């Protein structure tokens, strides 16, 4: 069984570099690939089994998912389109092995219908699968993880027009009826993390209208308890949210991309233990209206960095992790117009994580290849790259 989740802790265990305190984040200029009109979401995963991560991109004019296969060294071929129902407006997408057949399927939110649709993968070719209602209105974001411990990957959606999140448990390759949980107004970005150390995936969701990140604890069996809230402070509203052990103390922290009242920032909430979070520490992103956010070790120094897609300034920001959960000044990289979603994966095999943004108003995806390299030690041998990854 495979998922698209990058286990940073596991990665650090076998990637060793000598960058140390002088490590820097450095990307080549973006390469843009055309996709359909109004692209919205992206998933990065190896769909055809050649060991290279490919791209799946949603768009709604017309409604489709586009597959771009990695041709090697982080370059991509032309889009191959999979048509979805007209007017369904596919938005977010996640790559998971829905049916445990050892290839990665796609699960797409269809925001105009209020459901999710499975795209079944057979050797890199996708066919339309089952749909399941989310029992909410306008599902946008989607995340995936085994929420109930049955060995199948489940999904969670945030539903912007009904102020709730939906949990859809995977029962041997199909999704059971959604169970919804009320959260704050206009929920947007989602992330999963074990915040209280009980080895269960909890939910973090950006409740934009209420200026907070809501946390729902997993109480077992894929059910969730009473939420708690993390305030992003007056004037700003959170959009994207990500999780990870930012200060390397063994528990999972939260970061949100937030904007408003002249501020464009990342709010970092450090977990002080057992799911209790310190107040937000704000870091300017240097761009306008940050939306998507991802945590990834971009300079290969063993510390998680942060990257945001800045929707109103056609760029992305990277903030280098300095240790102890603190972050340096933002570095700006140009991408296409109105970048919304952002994702990270090892695209070119040099051992460092690359970035992709989905640019809704230029109808492109931007690929930024990481110029850092890592020395890989696996099974007793050393390799300078991941050319056979």
């Amino acid at each position: 069984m495979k998922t698209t989740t990058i286990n940073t802790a596991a990665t650090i265990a076998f990637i060793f570099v000598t960058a140390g305190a002088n490590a820097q984040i450095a990307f080549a200029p973006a390469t843009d690939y055309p996709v359909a009109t109004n692209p919205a979401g992206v998933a990065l995963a190896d769909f055809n089994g050649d060991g290279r991560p490919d791209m799946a991109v949603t768009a709604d004019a017309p409604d489709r998912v586009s597959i771009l296969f990695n041709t090697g060294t982080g370059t991509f071929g032309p889009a191959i389109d999979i048509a979805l129902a007209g007017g369904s407006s596919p938005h977010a997408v996640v790559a998971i092995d829905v049916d445990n057949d050892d290839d990665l399927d796609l699960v797409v939110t269809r925001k105009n219908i209020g459901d999710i649709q499975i795209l079944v993968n057979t050797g890199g070719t996708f066919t339309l699968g089952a749909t399941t209602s989310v029992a909410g209105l306008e599902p946008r974001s989607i995340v995936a993880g085994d929420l109930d411990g049955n060995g199948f990957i489940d999904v969670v959606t945030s539903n912007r027009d009904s102020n709730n999140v939906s949990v859809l448990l995977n029962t041997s390759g199909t999704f059971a009826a959604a169970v919804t949980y009320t959260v704050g107004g206009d929920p947007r970005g989602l992330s999963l993390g074990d915040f209280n150390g009980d080895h269960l995936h909890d939910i973090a969701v950006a409740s934009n209208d209420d200026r907070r990140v809501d946390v729902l604890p997993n109480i077992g069996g894929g059910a969730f308890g009473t939420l708690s809230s993390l305030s992003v402070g007056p004037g700003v509203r959170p959009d994207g949210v990500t999780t990870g052990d930012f200060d390397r103390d063994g528990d999972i922290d939260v970061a949100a991309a937030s904007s408003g009242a002249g501020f464009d920032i990342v709010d970092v909430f450090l977990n002080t233990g057992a799911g209790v979070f310190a107040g937000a520490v704000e870091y300017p992103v240097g761009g306008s209206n940050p939306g998507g956010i991802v945590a990834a070790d971009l300079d290969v120094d063993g510390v998680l960095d942060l990257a945001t897609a800045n929707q109103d300034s056609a760029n992305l920001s990277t903030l280098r992790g300095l240790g102890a959960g603190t972050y340096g000044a933002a570095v700006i990289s140009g991408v296409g117009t109105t970048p919304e979603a952002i994702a990270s994966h090892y695209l070119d095999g040099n051992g460092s994580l690359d970035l992709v943004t989905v640019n809704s108003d230029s109808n492109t995806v931007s690929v930024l290849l990481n110029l850092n390299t890592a020395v890989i030690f696996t099974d007793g041998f050393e390799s300078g790259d991941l050319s056979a990854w």
Side-chain angles (χ1 to χ4, degrees):
M1 180 177 65
K2 298 177 286 186
T3 76
T4 56
T5 301
I6 298 172
N7 187 331
T8 305
T11 302
I12 294 168
F14 66 86
I15 297 182
F16 299 87
V17 294
T18 58
N22 296 320
Q24 298 295 324
I25 298 173
F27 288 93
T31 300
D32 290 344
Y33 294 87
V35 291
T37 304
N38 297 333
V42 62
L44 305 177
D46 178 11
F47 298 128
N48 57 3
D50 66 357
R52 300 185 178 103
D54 311 303
M55 280 195 283
V57 182
T58 62
D60 67 2
D63 306 88
R64 67 184 67 190
V65 175
S66 299
I67 308 298
L68 290 79
F69 288 106
N70 191 330
T71 61
T73 63
T75 58
F76 292 83
I80 299 171
D81 293 333
I82 305 159
L84 273 64
S88 60
S89 193
H91 196 80
V93 58
V94 65
I96 61 173
D97 186 0
V98 174
D99 48 11
N100 275 10
D101 66 350
D102 291 324
D103 56 19
L104 288 167
D105 312 298
L106 296 170
V107 182
V108 180
T109 64
R110 302 194 302 174
K111 65 185 179 72
N112 285 357
I113 297 178
D115 67 6
I116 58 170
Q117 175 149 38
I118 301 170
L119 276 65
V120 180
N121 184 358
T122 305
T125 300
F126 290 89
T127 56
L128 299 184
T131 62
T132 306
S133 171
V134 302
L137 301 176
E138 199 176 339
R140 293 289 190 106
S141 296
I142 188 169
V143 290
D146 185 358
L147 303 177
D148 56 2
N150 70 346
F152 286 86
I153 303 300
D154 313 300
V155 298
V156 182
T157 68
S158 62
N159 310 315
R160 286 187 63 175
D161 285 354
S162 52
N163 301 334
N164 57 15
V165 299
S166 298
V167 174
L168 296 98
L169 298 180
N170 187 336
T171 58
S172 303
T174 59
F175 290 102
V179 178
T180 62
Y181 297 87
T182 299
V183 295
D186 190 10
R188 298 192 179 188
L190 284 168
S191 191
L192 300 179
D194 176 13
F195 302 127
N196 56 8
D198 63 358
H199 307 292
L200 299 172
H201 291 294
D202 308 306
I203 298 170
V205 56
S207 294
N208 185 269
D209 282 357
D210 286 326
R211 296 183 170 88
R212 69 193 198 202
V213 175
D214 288 330
V215 175
L216 288 161
N218 190 330
I219 58 176
F224 291 82
T226 304
L227 68 78
S228 58
S229 297
L230 310 176
S231 174
V232 296
V236 297
R237 302 174 186 264
D239 195 330
V241 64
T242 190
T243 55
D245 187 0
F246 304 147
D247 52 6
R248 298 197 295 176
D249 66 351
D251 49 29
I252 302 301
D253 312 301
V254 174
S258 305
S259 61
F263 295 97
D264 298 285
I265 58 176
V266 169
D267 288 292
V268 173
F269 303 90
L270 295 181
N271 190 336
T272 60
V276 177
F277 292 88
V281 178
E282 299 177 349
Y283 297 91
V285 301
S288 181
N289 192 16
I293 183 172
V294 66
D297 182 6
L298 300 173
D299 53 5
V300 205
D301 67 349
V303 178
L304 286 176
D305 311 298
L306 297 171
T308 64
N310 304 319
Q311 298 171 89
D312 293 345
S313 52
N315 55 31
L316 66 79
S317 301
T318 53
L319 290 79
R320 181 171 176 257
L322 303 178
T326 61
Y327 287 87
V331 176
I332 303 298
S333 300
V335 295
T337 307
T338 319
E340 293 185 352
I342 187 170
S344 179
H345 211 313
Y346 299 97
L347 300 180
D348 60 357
N350 71 347
S352 58
L353 286 162
D354 309 298
L355 294 174
V356 174
T357 64
V358 179
N359 312 311
S360 66
D361 285 341
S362 57
N363 306 325
T364 60
V365 291
S366 295
V367 175
L368 291 87
L369 296 179
N370 196 328
L371 297 177
N372 286 295
T373 58
V375 177
I376 312 301
F377 294 86
T378 58
D379 296 329
F381 69 89
E382 175 181 330
S383 171
D385 61 59
L386 292 176
S387 58
W389 81 118

